[in-house]
Every structure is written in structure tokens, then in C-alpha cells.
């Protein structure tokens, strides 16, 4: 399955496709728009959309299943899918690296693409605030000795040849340590260390909820501008927030921005929204990288899409669901 | 550019996206539905579809650009695209292998996935009739000594590490020769041999046109059923056709079936159509793997899509182009 999510213990594949989930290996295996070969769905009129093809190539008319992928159940209810699955990798290597600046993170990413090439399977960022939250509320111990570092990255490779992959990883590590991009690091030498390294990254969302009331944003940017908004919000919420932190899929430009406040508060929220959306929109980013629009961001969709596009979406919704019975009030603003 | 086509000397990128071209490295880099990040297009009302995003992840509403990909200019005219490009591979290896049966070809394919893993970048089939046509009309010499073989495959790897890639390729070759799947083979040791090996595969379409009047079909199947139809048509056209041959992207299940007749003839065509489409449809295949529907196959689209799907396509066409001014008479049958 070319998809691996923090929510893998509870999510369903139909929901993954309906929301176009991305996850931690998107960097390697790409979007479900590329790997979903077929979709069967129940449409609003009760008829079946019978597109459960397993063909890799089929250019006969419009690729309608693409509309169902990521439609959040507003165009049809996905009942079966056919997904192209890669071979299970025989060798997996994982490293946690600490570095002194965001620029160093970008340099490491550049070198990971060059040195690890086709076996790079994840490149994730954890900032120091997320690391502290994991220590305080998750009982984790930072496995790196230098605890003053602002950024950590998790780099994973998956490949078909253990010897080759280890050589590529060690050549990469030598390069980034030698150049001073990485000041401290550790590799997962056994499966329990592998699990604990991934849970450091994947457990952040759950630990944040123990720290207070979480206001979280699922944004995407160019990789260069990935972390800027976290600093901006830290400054803006100074004295009001308990924590402001960022983590996510750096290789995909996908940032999870979190502000933790002491209580549920409209005043606190008004310091964040619509500012976060405006800031993101001004930089050509997406206000929903992978979690979708739902009802919460339905009226904010114009921060990422033009009036023209939203107008076409409304008409497409009417084609599939003229009575508006599928997930009403979600995703697409109602037409004027 | 994650796309490499026989037509690369003359085609345009806008047209590639408008027709959802696949090509010889689809196996590695996947569909343009996965790698096209943004599309700008002129719509039927003269307005701009302003979706030229370079974000890897954006789940804000329906992914409308997916409809433009492969719409053959019937929903809008693509004027700019943003495509995710892989790093240029530093090491490329190429082998031409000859084998005694189609089952051996399937076995080689299975081993290529296992042994070559993430560096496998193309797996192409050439049958002996195509090879003979290349010798007769292309002046090529079959580089393998055993000229009685029914099938040839071109296997390519692309990767980041020359030593690793060569080791993987030699381990793969040892395995398939040792098991008897391959009875003769050669590898490209320099760039001129590399070019000539690829031109053996890529030049088939042009050489076929020198052999007579070509009736060609662009079909996709499950990999197991890839070649069956060539044998079926060879039997059916015995005594009428000059040549019946098959080649194509085996790794993608994408067959180029060609029947060559002496003249342009309705009688000859009636021996092929609609039989080829019916046979393909009965096996769940596509009657247009990548060349699109155009006006020639518009009324045959029902062999690959249901009435329900075609009905939705017609409504989607009306949303984008209510007056039917974009490529009329192509791709989508007009509504009843």
C-alpha cells in the first residue's frame, strides 16, 4: 500500500481515497491521484459508478474517478478501490538528525535527494518545541545528546538491496556531518529503535492534545518557505499561546502548524484566523494540504482557489448530486 | 521531465498533458495525473483556468485540473503546466534479451521487479515480426545471434549510483539466464549502442508504415493477457494481412497491436473492427491506453466505459463548454 499515515490504526481505505490522504511516504510514492487505478462508488441517485479498473493506462474519455478522489464524500460514497501497490522494500534505514538552522535542514534535504536518490522514502521535520512536548507529555527521551538544537529531521530509505542501501545512507551521513549541516544524529539499529524513532514523529499530534487546547493547521508551501509561518505565529501569539510549533512532511512542503492555548477561546482564535489563511494565500500556499476542507474551511476555500474554480466545482457538484444530499454544508460553498 | 515518448522530437508539453501521454518510462514515473502539479488553461468562455500551482499537496475542493489532463482539448486549451520532475539519473543501464516464450517474458518481468527494484525504469516488448520489420525497412541488424526467437525485451535501469546499478543489473541477468528465461542477450556498453537499442524499439511505428497500410491499436490489458490478442488476430487475418505484430510497454500492460494490409480497404478493416474492441472489452481492457479517443474512437468509447460514466462525461463537458465549441465531434459522444 503506497500510503502510510499516523492514523493507520483507525482510518479506512475508502476514507483515505475520499480525502486524498498523503502521509509520510507521499514523497516516494506520490499522490493517490497517480496510484489509484480504479474506484467504485455509490452516487447520489443510488446508481453505481462502476470504475473499478485495474488497468494502469486507460485514456477513454475524462478520468472521472479523479473527481471522487479527494471529494470528501460530496460527489459519491467510495465502496471499493484498486490501488497500485509497490513491492515491499527489503531494506529500510532510518536516521534522526539534529541541526542548528532551518537552512541546514534545507541543505540536508538537497543532499538526501542527491545521495539517497531513488531509495529516499521519507523526510520529516520536527522542531524543538514538538520535541519538548513529546518529552513532557509522551514520556519520550530525546535520543540526541545535544538538546539545544532547534530542528530535527527523520530521514528514511526503503530499497531492494540491504548492502547498497546501507552504503548510500552512510555516504549521505558522512556528507551532511562533514559539511556541518548535522551536528548530532542517530540511526535506528533495531526494530524497537525504529518504532520509537517513528513514534517520536507520529505521536506529536496526540501529545499536543495533552498540552492544552490545540489549534492546528494543515498547510503547504514551497519547501524554502516551509517554516517561516511558525516563527511569524510565535511572535504574533507571544504571551497568549502555551506553545507554537511546527512539524511535518518537509519533502512535500506540507507543514502541520500548531498553536496551543490554555482554553477554547474566540479571542485566541481571532489572533490566528483569518491571518494564517491570508498569509498562506499571499504566498501561493494551500490552506488544506491533505486534511480537506470539510465544514470548518468551506468558507475559506477562496484563500486557495479562484472564484472561477469554485464556480466550476459548484456546477460539478450539481452534475453528481443535484439535490445536494451528499455531505451537505461541506467542502464546496453553496452556489449563489 | 518524467515522460519520454517516441514522439519527443515533435510533440508539445501542452499536448502531452491534454492527451495524458504515457510513454516508455510510465512504469517508473507513473501517470501525469500524479506528476502534474498545476495547469493553466483557456476555457470555452475565454476565461483563464488559473491552476498553475507548484504545490505537491493541495486538498481544497475538487482537483479540477485532473479533468483537463487527458481531455484532448474538449474542456479547455492547456497553455501552461507545472510538472514534478525527478532528478536526472546518474547511471543508466540497458539490456536487450531474447526469449523462447511469452511465459518467459512474464517470468523475466517478475524477476526484474524483484532484482532491479526501485531502479527499473522501462520494460518493453518487441515480437519477432516487429524485429523483422525493423531489419527489412529500418536497416537494423538484430544484435542477437539467435534470430529464431519469438520475443525480445528491452530492460532499462536508471539510478543514482553506477556501481550499485551495475551490480543489480548483473545479478538480474545472471538470474534470468541461469533459469533459462533468457537464451540470448546483449547490454548497451556505450552511448551509440544505447541509442541503437532504443531505436530498435522506438522506430517500429515509423518502419511499419513502410511495410504497407497500417491498422494500429493502442490497447491495455492485465499483463498476463498482454500478447494473446496478437495471436488471435494473426489467425483471424491469415491470408489477408502482410504482417500482424505486437510491441509495447509490457510493464504497463500497454500493447501496440498492428495489422499491415496491402491497401486501404474497408473489407480488411471489417475483419478487425469492431472485433478488436469487443475482444478487449470482454477482458476488461482499454480500447485506448494512451492515444486518446479523438473522432475515430468516439463512438467506440462504450467498449471501455459504462453508459452511466459516459452520461456524466457529457454533463461535465456541458459545464466546461456549454456551446460545444472545443474540439467538437471528438472524445465524448454528443448527448441524446
Amino acid at each position: 500500500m503506497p500510503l502510510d499515515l499516523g492514523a493507520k490504526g483507525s482510518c479506512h481505505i475508502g476514507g483515505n481515497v475520499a480525502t486524498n490522504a498523503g502521509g509520510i511516504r507521499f514523497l516516494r510514492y506520490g499522490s493517490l491521484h497517480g496510484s489509484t487505478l480504479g474506484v467504485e462508488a455509490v452516487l447520489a441517485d443510488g446508481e453505481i459508478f462502476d470504475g473499478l479498473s485495474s488497468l494502469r493506462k486507460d485514456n477513454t474519455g475524462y478520468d472521472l474517478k479523479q473527481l471522487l478522489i479527494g471529494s470528501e464524500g460530496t460527489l459519491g460514497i467510495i465502496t471499493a478501490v484498486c490501488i497500485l501497490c509497490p513491492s515491499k522494500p527489503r531494506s529500510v534505514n532510518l536516521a534522526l538528525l539534529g541541526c542548528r538552522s532551518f537552512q541546514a535542514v534545507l541543505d540536508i534535504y538537497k543532499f538526501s535527494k542527491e545521495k539517497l536518490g531513488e531509495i529516499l522514502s521519507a523526510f520529516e521535520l520536527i522542531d524543538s518545541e514538538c520535541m519538548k512536548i513529546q518529552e513532557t507529555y509522551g514520556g519520550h527521551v530525546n535520543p540526541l545528546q545535544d538538546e539545544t538544537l532547534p530542528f530535527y529531521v527523520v530521514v528514511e530509505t526503503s530499497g531492494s538491496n540491504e548492502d547498497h542501501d546501507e552504503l548510500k545512507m552512510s555516504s549521505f551521513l558522512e556528507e551532511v556531518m562533514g559539511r556541518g549541516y548535522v551536528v548530532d544524529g542517530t540511526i535506528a539499529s533495531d526494530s524497537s529503535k525504529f518504532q520509537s524513532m517513528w513514534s517520536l514523529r507520529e505521536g506529536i499530534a496526540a501529545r499536543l492534545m495533552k498540552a492544552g487546547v490545540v489549534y492546528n493547521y494543515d498547510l503547504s508551501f514551497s519547501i524554502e518557505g516551509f517554516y517561516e509561518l511558525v516563527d511569524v505565529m510565535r511572535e504574533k501569539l507571544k504571551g497568549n499561546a502555551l506553545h507554537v510549533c511546527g512539524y511535518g512532511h518537509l519533502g512535500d512542503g506540507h507543514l502541520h502548524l500548531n498553536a496551543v492555548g490554555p482554553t477554547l477561546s474566540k479571542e485566541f482564535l481571532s489572533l490566528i484566523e483569518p491571518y494564517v489563511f491570508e498569509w498562506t494565500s499571499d504566498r501561493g500556499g494551500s490552506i488544506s494540504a491533505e486534511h480537506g476542507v470539510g465544514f470548518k474551511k468551506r468558507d475559506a476555500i477562496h484563500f486557495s482557489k479562484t472564484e472561477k474554480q469554485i464556480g466550476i466545482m459548484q456546477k460539478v457538484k450539481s452534475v453528481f448530486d443535484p439535490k445536494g444530499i451528499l455531505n451537505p454544508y461541506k467542502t464546496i460553498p453553496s452556489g449563489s
Side-chain angles (χ1 to χ4, degrees), chain A:
Chain A
M1 177 74 177
L3 193 66
D4 193 347
L5 307 167
K8 61 192 157 209
S10 56
C11 61
H12 289 224
I13 287 180
N16 292 158
V17 175
T19 56
N20 189 28
I24 53 182
R25 293 194 181 87
F26 185 99
L27 176 67
R28 172 69 166 274
Y29 301 116
S31 159
L32 286 171
H33 285 290
S35 54
T36 305
L37 302 178
V39 168
E40 179 196 84
V42 178
L43 300 173
D45 58 10
E47 288 194 46
I48 303 291
F49 178 86
D50 181 16
L52 202 59
S53 166
S54 61
L55 298 171
R56 287 206 63 180
K57 283 178 170 174
D58 177 20
N59 274 323
T60 49
Y62 310 146
D63 196 348
L64 296 174
K65 72 167 181 287
Q66 301 289 353
L67 286 174
L68 292 162
I69 300 169
S71 68
E72 303 180 45
T74 65
L75 299 181
I77 297 159
I78 293 174
T79 47
V81 293
C82 179
I83 292 181
L84 184 71
C85 292
S87 298
K88 191 178 177 192
R90 270 181 266 168
S91 160
V92 179
N93 289 289
L94 191 63
L96 176 72
L97 310 174
C99 37
R100 286 215 180 88
S101 68
F102 187 69
Q103 183 55 50
V105 171
L106 293 178
D107 291 331
I108 298 168
Y109 180 59
K110 189 181 154 210
F111 271 92
S112 73
K113 289 205 290 183
E114 193 174 307
K115 290 279 171 187
L116 301 171
E118 58 283 345
I119 63 168
L120 179 65
S121 53
F123 195 104
E124 300 281 313
L125 182 89
I126 303 172
D127 72 5
S128 60
E129 192 124 1
C130 289
M131 186 63 95
K132 280 179 207 138
I133 285 164
Q134 278 281 46
E135 291 183 291
T136 311
Y137 300 99
H140 283 283
V141 175
N142 182 343
L144 302 191
Q145 292 187 322
D146 186 343
E147 295 191 353
T148 65
L149 297 171
F151 295 106
Y152 302 87
V153 293
V154 177
V155 183
E156 188 197 69
T157 66
S158 309
S160 61
N161 185 302
E162 198 175 334
D163 295 342
H164 294 175
D165 293 4
E166 282 181 14
L167 270 167
K168 284 192 179 89
M169 181 59 112
S170 45
S171 160
F172 160 70
L173 291 175
E174 268 171 36
E175 188 84 30
V176 291
M177 312 247 342
R179 286 174 181 255
Y181 300 147
V182 169
V183 291
D184 197 359
T186 180
I187 54 171
S189 46
D190 57 49
S191 68
S192 80
K193 202 165 171 195
F194 183 91
Q195 291 302 330
S196 105
M197 219 181 264
W198 265 125
S199 79
L200 248 185
R201 161 61 190 85
E202 294 190 305
I204 298 170
R207 303 302 164 248
L208 274 164
M209 287 194 277
K210 294 189 179 179
V213 177
V214 186
Y215 300 77
N216 64 45
Y217 297 87
D218 159 53
L219 310 164
S220 69
F221 300 101
S222 72
I223 291 172
E224 292 69 25
F226 184 85
Y227 197 74
E228 218 178 313
L229 183 57
V230 186
D231 285 330
V232 166
M233 292 310 294
R234 203 165 271 152
E235 187 59 34
K236 197 164 159 57
L237 296 176
K238 199 154 56 179
N240 291 288
L242 300 173
H243 303 279
V244 177
C245 60
Y247 66 96
H249 317 287
L250 183 118
D252 311 321
H254 179 186
L255 172 73
H256 291 288
L257 166 74
N258 292 268
V260 182
T263 55
L264 201 59
S265 149
K266 279 191 179 172
E267 286 71 28
F268 188 77
L269 185 63
S270 72
L271 293 172
I272 309 175
E273 291 181 26
Y275 181 79
V276 159
F277 299 143
E278 286 163 359
W279 197 96
T280 302
S281 180
D282 287 348
R283 280 144 191 90
S286 169
I287 63 156
S288 179
E290 76 165 343
H291 291 181
V293 171
F295 64 89
K296 278 193 181 170
K297 281 183 274 192
R298 186 172 82 137
D299 295 321
I301 194 173
H302 62 278
F303 286 111
S304 283
K305 291 285 157 71
T306 63
E307 276 305 316
K308 182 77 187 174
Q309 287 168 319
I310 296 166
I312 299 174
M313 287 180 202
Q314 286 162 335
K315 288 182 186 159
V316 167
K317 167 77 174 170
S318 296
V319 166
F320 278 80
D321 180 18
K323 293 180 186 164
I325 59 172
L326 292 173
N327 258 354
Y329 322 120
K330 285 190 185 162
T331 308
I332 304 301
S334 52
S336 56

